[in-house]
Coordinates of all heavy atoms in Angstrom, one line a residue:
S71 N -46.6 31.2 -22.6 CA -47.3 32.3 -23.1 C -46.7 33.6 -22.4 O -46.1 33.6 -21.3 CB -48.8 32.3 -22.8 OG -49.3 31.2 -23.5
D72 N -46.7 34.7 -23.1 CA -46.5 36.0 -22.6 C -45.0 36.2 -22.5 O -44.1 35.3 -22.8 CB -47.2 36.4 -21.4 CG -48.7 36.2 -21.5 OD1 -49.2 36.6 -22.5 OD2 -49.3 35.6 -20.5
Y73 N -44.6 37.4 -22.1 CA -43.2 37.8 -21.9 C -42.4 36.8 -21.0 O -43.0 36.5 -19.9 CB -43.2 39.2 -21.3 CG -41.8 39.7 -21.0 CD1 -40.9 40.1 -21.9 CD2 -41.4 39.7 -19.6 CE1 -39.6 40.5 -21.5 CE2 -40.2 40.3 -19.2 CZ -39.4 40.6 -20.2 OH -38.1 41.1 -19.8
Q74 N -41.3 36.4 -21.5 CA -40.5 35.3 -20.6 C -39.2 35.8 -20.2 O -38.3 35.0 -19.9 CB -40.4 34.0 -21.4 CG -41.7 33.4 -21.7 CD -42.4 32.8 -20.4 OE1 -41.7 32.1 -19.6 NE2 -43.6 33.0 -20.3
D75 N -38.8 37.0 -20.4 CA -37.6 37.7 -20.0 C -36.8 38.0 -21.2 O -37.0 37.6 -22.2 CB -36.7 36.6 -19.1 CG -35.6 37.2 -18.3 OD1 -35.5 38.5 -18.4 OD2 -34.9 36.5 -17.7
R76 N -35.7 38.8 -21.0 CA -34.8 39.3 -22.0 C -33.9 38.2 -22.5 O -33.3 38.3 -23.6 CB -34.0 40.4 -21.6 CG -34.8 41.7 -21.5 CD -33.8 42.8 -21.2 NE -34.5 44.1 -21.2 CZ -34.5 44.8 -22.3 NH1 -33.9 44.6 -23.4 NH2 -35.2 46.1 -22.2
R77 N -33.7 37.2 -21.7 CA -32.7 36.2 -22.1 C -33.3 35.0 -22.6 O -34.4 34.7 -22.5 CB -31.8 35.9 -20.8 CG -32.7 35.1 -19.7 CD -31.8 34.9 -18.5 NE -32.6 34.4 -17.5 CZ -32.8 33.1 -17.2 NH1 -32.2 32.2 -17.9 NH2 -33.5 32.7 -16.2
W78 N -32.4 34.2 -23.3 CA -32.9 32.8 -23.8 C -33.0 31.9 -22.7 O -32.4 32.0 -21.7 CB -31.8 32.2 -24.7 CG -31.7 32.9 -26.1 CD1 -30.9 34.0 -26.4 CD2 -32.3 32.5 -27.3 NE1 -31.1 34.4 -27.7 CE2 -32.0 33.4 -28.3 CE3 -33.3 31.5 -27.6 CZ2 -32.5 33.3 -29.6 CZ3 -33.8 31.4 -28.9 CH2 -33.4 32.3 -29.9
R79 N -34.1 31.0 -22.7 CA -34.4 30.2 -21.7 C -34.3 28.7 -22.3 O -34.5 28.5 -23.4 CB -35.8 30.4 -21.2 CG -36.0 31.8 -20.6 CD -37.3 32.0 -20.0 NE -37.6 31.2 -18.8 CZ -37.3 31.5 -17.6 NH1 -36.6 32.6 -17.3 NH2 -37.7 30.7 -16.6
H80 N -33.9 27.8 -21.5 CA -33.7 26.4 -21.8 C -34.8 25.6 -21.4 O -35.3 25.8 -20.3 CB -32.4 25.9 -21.2 CG -32.1 24.4 -21.6 ND1 -32.3 23.4 -20.6 CD2 -31.8 23.8 -22.7 CE1 -32.0 22.3 -21.2 NE2 -31.7 22.5 -22.4
A81 N -35.3 24.7 -22.2 CA -36.4 23.8 -21.9 C -36.0 22.3 -22.2 O -35.3 22.0 -23.1 CB -37.7 24.1 -22.6
Q82 N -36.4 21.4 -21.4 CA -36.3 19.9 -21.6 C -37.7 19.3 -21.5 O -38.4 19.6 -20.5 CB -35.4 19.3 -20.6 CG -34.0 19.7 -20.6 CD -33.2 18.9 -19.6 OE1 -33.6 18.7 -18.4 NE2 -31.9 18.5 -19.9
V83 N -38.1 18.5 -22.4 CA -39.4 17.9 -22.3 C -39.2 16.4 -22.6 O -38.6 16.0 -23.7 CB -40.4 18.5 -23.3 CG1 -41.7 17.9 -23.3 CG2 -40.4 20.0 -23.2
A84 N -39.6 15.6 -21.8 CA -39.6 14.1 -22.1 C -40.7 13.8 -23.2 O -41.8 14.1 -22.9 CB -39.8 13.3 -20.8

Side-chain angles (χ1 to χ4, degrees):
S71 294
D72 304 319
Y73 171 74
Q74 296 291 316
D75 200 2
R76 285 183 175 267
R77 64 185 176 92
W78 286 88
R79 301 183 63 87
H80 179 251
Q82 291 184 322
V83 184

